[in-house]
């Protein structure tokens, strides 16, 4: 994804959210923008955060969503190593996704396609879980599961976290039967191969949106909820300005009702991501993403995007918000 910094509005000053030991405080002005990609100096003296799911709330507090299971999905993905599109490691992840989804009883459609990229034609695969409903409408959820093409980049948060959340959501939702169908998309090829642009990025979501549009299915999609970079130990989500306002409001008000207004904040940011592929085809879409490099994700697109940066609690909170948002959408 790409952060449009010129549109970034930060209104908050210093806000402390939840117990500091769990999610920390937002501090501002203590790091120059240029230092964002460097490890903070305090890492040299502070003990490394643990690679555990110890902060996972019990599933009964998060609508059944199991933060520990989601965390284990992040660990598993990272164990395959860097997973850029077309890599053998991504084939291993594809096998894992398929076997997990099958074990939950999900019906999964696979779309294998070739994508023309600046580094040549790459084989890619989208997966679409389809849970039937009573009425023709569809609620679509989605994530990208590929990682950035970069040495030693394992994408625990960027690619790993949202994919883990969608797997856990699939486990919970596949046995259910609602008013509307729920589809869960796993996109290949979100990352740019050379430099982010409209043609070098979002290969998988562009492919899926085009296919669904050709089959007349985009008209059936009432809402597309995208997750990306949702696992930070210091996660906060700003309203993404290009997303469909009514859908952003639905998700953020749902989060507030669940007590997460300190995490789903009312600040505004602008991010280019997989939701664009669906917005362009008039599908109401919202992106839930934490791309605040200054405060929350200093490791973004660096080899420091590792499992120790991930909080099972953040995964569970996002999972809970998605589950409740789907419930809301099922009543509309
Ligand atoms: Zn990325």
């Amino acid at each position: 994804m790409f952060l449009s910094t010129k549109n970034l509005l930060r209104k908050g000053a210093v806000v402390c959210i939840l117990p500091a030991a769990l999610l920390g405080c937002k501090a501002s002005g203590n790091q120059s923008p240029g230092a964002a990609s460097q490890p903070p100096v305090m890492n040299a003296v502070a003990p490394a955060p643990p690679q555990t799911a110890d902060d996972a709330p019990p599933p009964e507090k998060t609508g059944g969503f199991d933060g520990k299971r989601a965390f284990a999905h992040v660990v598993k993905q990272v164990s395959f190593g860097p997973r850029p599109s077309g890599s053998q490691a991504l084939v291993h992840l594809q096998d894992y996704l398929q076997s997990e989804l099958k074990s939950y009883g999900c019906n999964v459609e696979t779309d294998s396609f070739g994508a023309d990229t600046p580094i040549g034609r790459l084989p890619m695969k989208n997966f679409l879980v389809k849970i039937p409903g009573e009425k023709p409408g569809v609620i679509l959820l989605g994530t990208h599961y590929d990682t950035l093409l970069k040495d030693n980049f394992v994408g625990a948060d960027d690619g790993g976290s949202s994919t883990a959340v969608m797997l856990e959501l699939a486990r919970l939702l596949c046995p259910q039967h609602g008013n509307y169908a729920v589809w869960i998309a796993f996109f290949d090829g979100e990352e740019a191969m050379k430099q982010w642009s409209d043609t070098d990025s979002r290969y998988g979501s562009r492919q899926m949106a085009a296919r669904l549009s050709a089959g007349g299915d985009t008209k059936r999609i009432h809402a597309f909820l995208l997750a990306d970079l949702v696992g930070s130990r210091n996660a906060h989500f700003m309203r993404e300005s290009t997303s469909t306002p009514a859908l952003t409001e639905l998700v953020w008000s749902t989060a507030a009702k669940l007590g997460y207004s300190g995490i789903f904040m009312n600040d505004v940011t602008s991010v280019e991501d997989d939701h664009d592929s669906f917005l362009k085809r008039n599908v109401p879409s919202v992106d839930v993403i934490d791309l605040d490099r200054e405060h929350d994700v200093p490791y973004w697109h660096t080899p420091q995007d590792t499992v120790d940066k991930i909080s099972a609690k953040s995964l569970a909170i996002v999972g809970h918000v998605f589950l409740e948002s789907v419930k809301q959408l099922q009543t509309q």
Side-chain angles (χ1 to χ4, degrees):
M1 71 306 307
F2 182 80
L3 181 69
S4 305
T5 44
K6 66 181 186 310
N7 293 327
L8 179 65
L9 303 173
R10 281 200 67 80
K11 289 174 241 156
V14 180
V15 190
C16 195
I17 294 147
L18 295 178
L22 291 178
L23 281 173
C25 297
K26 288 186 80 63
S28 59
N30 60 352
Q31 197 178 33
S32 68
S37 61
Q38 300 297 320
V41 175
M42 62 177 287
N43 273 4
V45 289
Q51 294 187 18
T52 70
D54 285 353
D55 66 347
E60 53 273 23
K61 300 254 180 191
T62 47
F65 189 97
D66 190 335
K68 278 200 169 93
R69 288 187 75 115
F71 187 88
H73 290 312
V74 176
V75 172
K76 184 72 183 182
Q77 291 174 80
V78 168
S79 77
F80 296 128
R83 307 175 299 285
S85 293
S87 67
Q88 189 56 40
L90 199 62
V91 173
H92 291 142
L93 175 52
Q94 288 160 354
D95 291 345
Y96 178 69
L97 292 176
Q98 284 182 293
S99 73
E100 284 296 305
L101 293 168
K102 196 177 162 198
S103 75
Y104 311 148
C106 300
N107 167 41
V108 189
E109 290 183 2
T110 304
D111 179 22
S112 302
F113 61 100
D116 290 312
T117 82
I119 61 166
R121 192 167 175 83
L122 295 176
M124 295 194 186
K125 257 183 203 179
N126 285 334
F127 300 107
L128 186 59
V129 171
K130 286 189 167 178
I131 307 159
E134 302 288 343
K135 296 179 180 171
V138 173
I139 300 161
L140 177 65
L141 313 178
T143 175
H144 78 90
Y145 70 90
D146 61 306
T147 60
L148 182 70
L149 176 60
K150 186 174 193 172
D151 285 347
N152 303 314
F153 181 81
V154 295
D157 199 12
D158 193 356
S161 62
S162 51
T163 300
V165 166
M166 290 302 152
L167 277 174
E168 175 61 0
L169 288 174
R171 185 181 72 85
L172 296 168
L173 294 173
C174 280
Q176 297 182 17
H177 199 88
N179 229 350
Y180 301 113
V182 177
W183 293 354
I184 307 176
F186 294 81
F187 304 119
D188 200 340
E190 185 266 350
E191 299 288 359
M193 296 306 139
K194 282 205 164 157
Q195 171 135 31
W196 184 275
S197 70
D198 282 349
T199 51
D200 185 16
S201 70
R202 295 162 285 187
Y203 296 93
S205 59
R206 284 188 285 129
Q207 162 80 9
M208 190 178 290
R211 258 182 79 115
L212 292 175
S213 179
D217 282 334
T218 41
K219 289 192 220 80
R220 296 172 54 198
I221 305 173
H222 296 181
F224 171 36
L225 276 54
L226 173 67
D228 196 1
L229 285 153
V230 293
S232 166
R233 288 179 171 267
N234 199 31
H236 300 93
F237 304 101
M238 292 190 239
R239 291 173 183 250
E240 198 282 312
S241 65
T242 67
S243 297
T244 307
L247 201 47
T248 304
E249 181 54 32
L250 182 140
V251 174
W252 261 251
S253 64
T254 298
K257 270 182 234 146
L258 296 172
Y260 303 135
S261 52
I263 294 162
F264 282 72
M265 302 165 78
N266 287 325
D267 304 272
V268 178
T269 188
S270 175
V271 180
E272 294 181 6
D273 206 346
D274 283 318
H275 62 315
D276 300 325
S277 308
F278 288 83
L279 282 171
K280 279 182 184 138
R281 294 178 187 274
N282 299 315
V283 175
S285 306
V286 59
D287 191 10
V288 175
I289 182 168
D290 184 357
L291 198 47
D292 184 345
R293 277 174 278 170
E294 196 179 338
H295 305 97
D296 301 345
V297 293
Y299 50 79
W300 177 69
H301 280 192
T302 76
Q304 282 77 48
D305 184 356
T306 44
V307 171
D308 55 287
K309 309 303 186 303
I310 302 299
S311 156
K313 179 169 185 170
S314 298
L315 300 174
I317 288 169
V318 171
H320 194 192
V321 170
F322 270 62
L323 279 174
E324 286 300 317
S325 298
V326 168
K327 266 191 207 162
Q328 278 295 315
L329 288 161
Q330 288 285 18
T331 67
Q332 291 184 359

